[in-house]
Amino acid sequence: MDYSKLFRMDDRKTFVLGSGSGIGRESALALAAQGAVVVCADRDLAGATQTAQLIEAAGGLASVYQLDVLDAEAISVAAQEHSDSETLVFTAATNVRKRLLDYSAEEYERVVSLNMRSSFDLIRAFGATMVERKRGSIIGFSSIRHLVVEPGQGVYAATKAATVQLLRTAAAEFGPSGVRANAIAPGVVETPLTAPIKANPEWYNAYAAKGALGRWAVPSELAGAVVFLASDAASYVTGTVLYVDGGWTAVDGRFDPPRG
């Protein structure tokens, strides 16, 4: 084993959906830095193009692909056009923070369609080509909300739990063909999705205090987990959830008992 190349992704094609900004962009940049040939996919073509330009400016290889994850047929076409992808990373998500009794049917459908149905479609489409080639790694972003919840996060949490179970099932079904599937569960990360929380100092500080590290994450702090799960360093890792939450799910309450 040449451990100096354990995390290298040289010449491996990686399809990163959601690469137009935030965690997806940082994931694409990190994978490219390890030698991967990255397809920067996003509904936001301008954002994906900017990410590809950043990769190329650093000496990496990248292309751009516009894809709306709400279009199941478009996902199928993308998987066929990029059937040589060895890694799929998907980060797209939305949230409507409302209590269950206040949710409308339209809001429910919007969150479920983007967060859960797209995960199902992506895993199936890209998983089929990976199973056929007998290798690949699927990495989907869940959330700590798949495990712990709070008022106003019910539907979002349900979709993130579903994403975990879809990936675990993919791990079981695709594993005999050499395909791995794993979930990453971030804690609180400074992204456009969490902007409403950051705008409220009390809310922002309460979330920062919940984790063991006492602060929020920035998107680049999720990139290492993506590289690990995509690389040969994780060749025997499948069907798991990797928590990158600053200790949020390890800490039970915030009272600090007196010493002595």
Side-chain angles (χ1 to χ4, degrees):
M1 171 65 75
D2 184 353
Y3 289 117
S4 68
K5 299 180 179 178
L6 192 60
F7 295 94
R8 294 296 301 176
M9 298 282 294
D10 296 294
D11 302 320
R12 298 186 190 181
K13 189 172 184 179
T14 302
F15 196 94
V16 182
L17 183 55
S19 59
S21 64
I23 295 170
R25 169 172 288 175
E26 298 302 326
S27 298
L29 294 173
L31 289 163
Q34 294 300 321
V37 179
V38 181
V39 179
C40 300
D42 204 297
R43 183 178 63 178
D44 175 11
L45 184 60
T49 299
Q50 186 177 18
T51 301
Q53 290 172 341
L54 290 170
I55 290 172
E56 292 170 347
L61 297 174
S63 60
V64 178
Y65 194 95
Q66 188 171 30
L67 179 60
D68 183 351
V69 294
L70 294 177
D71 187 339
E73 180 59 31
I75 289 175
S76 180
V77 171
Q80 290 301 316
E81 291 182 356
H82 296 280
S83 60
D84 55 342
S85 297
E86 295 196 28
T87 304
L88 166 68
V89 180
F90 59 91
T91 68
T94 191
N95 192 6
V96 175
R97 293 180 177 84
K98 284 187 177 181
R99 294 172 183 260
L100 295 177
L101 298 184
D102 298 327
Y103 242 82
S104 70
E106 185 276 330
E107 289 166 337
Y108 172 85
E109 292 294 339
R110 188 197 326 160
V111 175
V112 169
S113 295
L114 183 59
N115 295 2
M116 187 168 72
R117 178 57 192 266
S118 68
S119 296
F120 175 75
D121 292 334
L122 286 162
I123 292 167
R124 277 169 39 88
F126 281 85
T129 63
M130 291 179 182
V131 166
E132 185 175 348
R133 297 176 65 239
K134 297 191 180 303
R135 65 177 299 165
S137 174
I138 300 173
I139 304 165
F141 271 79
S142 178
S143 165
I144 58 169
R145 293 301 175 207
H146 91 92
L147 183 65
V148 293
V149 299
E150 67 181 6
Q153 296 275 31
V155 177
Y156 177 80
T159 63
K160 289 305 183 178
T163 296
V164 167
Q165 292 302 80
L166 287 169
L167 286 163
R168 281 176 167 160
T169 303
E173 294 180 356
F174 304 165
S177 298
V179 179
R180 298 182 295 109
N182 293 286
I184 295 174
V188 288
V189 187
E190 296 194 5
T191 68
L193 188 64
T194 56
I197 300 174
K198 187 176 181 180
N200 183 323
E202 184 179 1
W203 198 356
Y204 180 86
N205 292 332
Y207 273 21
K210 177 62 178 71
L213 297 180
R215 63 176 178 83
W216 286 47
V218 294
S220 60
E221 292 181 291
L222 279 298
V226 174
V227 171
F228 167 64
L229 291 174
S231 72
D232 290 341
S235 60
Y236 201 62
V237 179
T238 193
T240 194
V241 180
L242 178 54
Y243 292 92
V244 188
D245 64 356
W248 181 297
T249 53
V251 179
D252 180 16
R254 292 306 308 174
F255 178 68
D256 190 3
R259 297 177 180 177

